[in-house]
Structures are given as C-alpha cells and as structure tokens.
Amino acid sequence: MGGNTESGGATATARLPEVLAQARRITIKVGSALVVDAKGGVANAPWMAGLARDIAALVADGKNVVLVSSGAVALGRRHLGVTRPRLKLDEKQACAAAGQPRLMAAWDEAFQAVGLKSAQVLLTREDTEKRRRWLNARATVETLFELGCVPIVNENDTVVTEEIRYGDNDRLAARTAQLVKSEALVLLSDIDGLYTADPRNNPDAQHIAVVEKLDASIEAMAGGANASAGVGTGGMATKIAAARIAGSAGCATLIAFGAVVQPLSSLGGPEGARFTLFKPQASLSAAYKAWIAGTVVPAGKLMLDEGAARALHNGKSLLPSGIVEVTGSFDKGDSVSIVAPSGQEIARGIVEYSADDIRAIRGRGSRDIETILGYTSGDEVIHRDDMALI
Ligand code: GLU
C-alpha cells in the first residue's frame, strides 16, 4: 500500500546503495537543519516533500520505513517568538511542545501528497532501555507498519529531564533502528560522511567510504569534522555513537548529505553522491539473540518435555503442548529461562503469554488456546525469532 505517487517522483529503488536495496526495514534520521528553514524558522516543505517521495519509493518496494525527525524545538521557537540563542531546559521543552504538532502537520502534508499515512511516536530514553516499555513501543510500531503507516519518531522532549534525555536525535535514531530491527540506519547530515579531519579547514582531509570496524582511530576523527552541525544538536561524535549502537544491534549506518531535494535517490549508482557506510558488527538476528541471552534477567522458568526440547534444538518455536511446568510470575513480553527435563537451561526467550496463562494452556494444543484463555497471542508461547539457544 501507499506506493501511489501522483507526482511520479518515486525513484527506482534499484539504484539505491546495496545496503539500502537489501534492507527490509530502514530508519532514516533527519536533523533540524534540514527540516527547518534556517532563516524563516518554518518547515522546509519542498525538502520534506522530496524526502517523502524517496520514502514512498522505498515503501512501494515493500520496505518498512521509520523516520526520526528533529525540528520541534526550532519550529516552536519561531511560533512562540523565543529568539535567545541558548535555551534553558524548560524553555526548550516549551518550544518542543509548541513545535511538535507543527512538525507533524508538515510531515503529514508531505506524506499525504505521496499517498502515505504518518503517525507520531514520541519516545524517551527509558522507553528504549526498559524492556517492558521497549516491547510495548515495538508492538505499536509493528502495528503501524501493518496499517501502512510511516511512524515518525522524536524524543518526547516535554517530559524528559536533563539527566534522562537523549538530547540528540542521532542516538535516539540508533535505538529506534534497534527497536524495529532495521538493517540500515541513514543519518542525513550537512556533510557527506566521515573525514579523516575537518574538511572545512583541512584540504588534506580524506573522505572515508566504508568503516569496517568502529575502533578508537575512527572515534578520534569525530572531533573536528561536522562538530558544529547547523541548527541541530548532534555533531559527528553523536553520529559515531549512533553508528556504534546500531552496529552492535546488527544494523548498518550510512552518514549522507541530506540537503538535496531527494537525498536518498541521489545516493545510488555509479554517479551517486558519496556517503560513509559503517558496517554492522554482527548479523541482525545474532545481535538480537545475544541481547535476549545476555542482557535480560529471566523472570521465570518453563520446564519442557523431551520432545519440545528436541524441537527447539531443531530450530522450532516453543508451543504450549511441550511445556510441563511453569515457575515464577511474569507477564507477556518478559524473558524466561527454558529448561530441559534434565534440569539444564537450554534457551532463553521472550514469552507471548503470562505465567498464569501458560499454566492454563501448558500441555494443550495451540488450537485450544483461544477457547481456554478467551484470546490468543498466536500459536507459539515463544516464537523462535524471540529465542536464543544456550
Ligand atoms: N528532539 C529535538 C527537536 O525535535 C532535536 C534534538 C536534535 O536535534 O537532535 O527539536
């Protein structure tokens, strides 16, 4: 759905860089400097329309796209007539409160013109770091995808305090990419990637096309180049921090020049604009499984019968029929330990049902779930994608 581009502006995604052409999910981050006209302090509608056309082409190609957009504070400033260059936190929050609806209205118009619906998702750092909230946010975004929407993410600036805010949307975008399991994160910037030194005052600065491994020598390059990016907050340092977060979650990061009419379609092909590609440090599913296995304390235990334990080793999901006993008290979305009849832990995973509900359906066929519980969250108690074998 949604590939209807009356303007004919949808570009062939075949010309995209390989990493974007291959991706099933893409997170795109745009800074205030691109979204807000620096002189007038109003939304840069022609630029937004161009990016919406690029996104429509990706969606028409069957990809899910999340847009992380800054610009609330910059738009709110103008609306409220706040002209001081430096703002206190509460002033920023007031500006964000006034600017966010304007930002969304401008995006909504841009997406409507290409036949797409958009939806606002405001996140805080806690939402992306506390597992229960993370899973909730993930479920919402998944549903928005199913409904054919482009989720537009920003930090929930009005409720976060200095200590708990991201402050820059680069890292928020990396966490968003991880949340939705994107294979690629595109940071559209006022520079076409990472350089060995600041290219504005160093004629010998070399553009870096590919970063295979994000090590200390790469971190050291973040100081100069792009350190003072336009009206936004992040510089190259937060972009590299974002690439690190995304990379360890199995997502590639592209830093590309954004200030052209259709920035994504300008990237592909032999004549395409250059960019820096940070390769991911692990595959998407390996990184997700490592997160399940390593960073989450199990809230309970599921004891299996021999048949189910074997099925898990053969790559199957966990069905209620193979569960013998449930220990602990946990909710849907919690992580549990999965134990073989020998007593040995064989896997960890994220459950689709609460402990009480699993007690009610254990040993039964999946087709009975709805009759027993009055609802169903699917045939599996733990889907194999949400399970890490140990
Ligand atoms: N969330 C802020 C806004 O919408 C922007 C933070 C940033 O520029 O990275 O204005």
Side-chain angles (χ1 to χ4, degrees), residues 80-122:
L80 298 178
V82 180
T83 48
R84 263 188 311 290
R86 289 185 77 80
L87 302 181
K88 295 200 304 266
L89 179 63
D90 55 334
E91 291 169 329
K92 266 189 220 155
Q93 292 179 309
C95 289
Q100 181 63 28
R102 288 175 171 76
L103 180 64
M104 280 308 298
W107 278 122
D108 212 50
E109 203 181 309
F111 281 114
Q112 266 190 36
V114 292
L116 285 176
K117 295 182 188 118
S118 59
Q120 168 181 274
V121 179
L122 295 178

Side-chain angles (χ1 to χ4, degrees), residues 74-249:
L75 291 175
R77 262 172 174 281
R78 148 94 180 201
H79 186 67
L80 298 178
V82 180
T83 48
R84 263 188 311 290
R86 289 185 77 80
L87 302 181
K88 295 200 304 266
L89 179 63
D90 55 334
E91 291 169 329
K92 266 189 220 155
Q93 292 179 309
C95 289
Q100 181 63 28
R102 288 175 171 76
L103 180 64
M104 280 308 298
W107 278 122
D108 212 50
E109 203 181 309
F111 281 114
Q112 266 190 36
V114 292
L116 285 176
K117 295 182 188 118
S118 59
Q120 168 181 274
V121 179
L122 295 178
L123 296 175
T124 62
R125 205 168 82 190
E126 276 196 307
D127 297 321
T128 58
E129 287 176 2
K130 290 235 161 68
R131 191 169 31 83
R132 182 76 55 74
R133 287 164 75 158
W134 191 89
L135 288 163
N136 246 321
R138 182 175 82 168
T140 305
V141 175
E142 291 289 342
T143 306
L144 288 171
F145 285 147
E146 277 162 30
L147 295 171
C149 268
V150 176
I152 302 181
V153 174
N154 198 357
E155 184 158 20
N156 195 352
D157 288 313
T158 54
V159 301
V160 287
T161 61
E162 203 68 78
E163 304 79 61
I164 61 156
R165 64 200 282 265
Y166 278 107
D168 68 86
N169 276 9
D170 293 323
R171 283 173 303 162
L172 172 66
R175 287 289 178 205
T176 302
Q178 178 180 25
L179 181 81
V180 304
K181 298 196 204 161
S182 293
E183 291 92 349
L185 164 66
V186 184
L187 302 174
L188 290 177
S189 173
D190 56 3
I191 191 162
D192 59 358
L194 181 65
Y195 285 76
T196 51
D198 187 339
R200 289 168 303 192
N201 48 35
N202 190 332
D204 297 331
Q206 306 265 319
H207 180 265
I208 298 173
V210 181
V211 174
E212 295 283 346
K213 198 168 172 344
L214 212 174
D215 57 19
S217 68
I218 298 291
E219 303 265 3
M221 291 170 197
N226 198 29
S228 55
V231 296
T233 316
M236 196 49 84
T238 60
K239 291 187 173 47
I240 290 191
R244 178 178 293 289
I245 295 168
S248 56

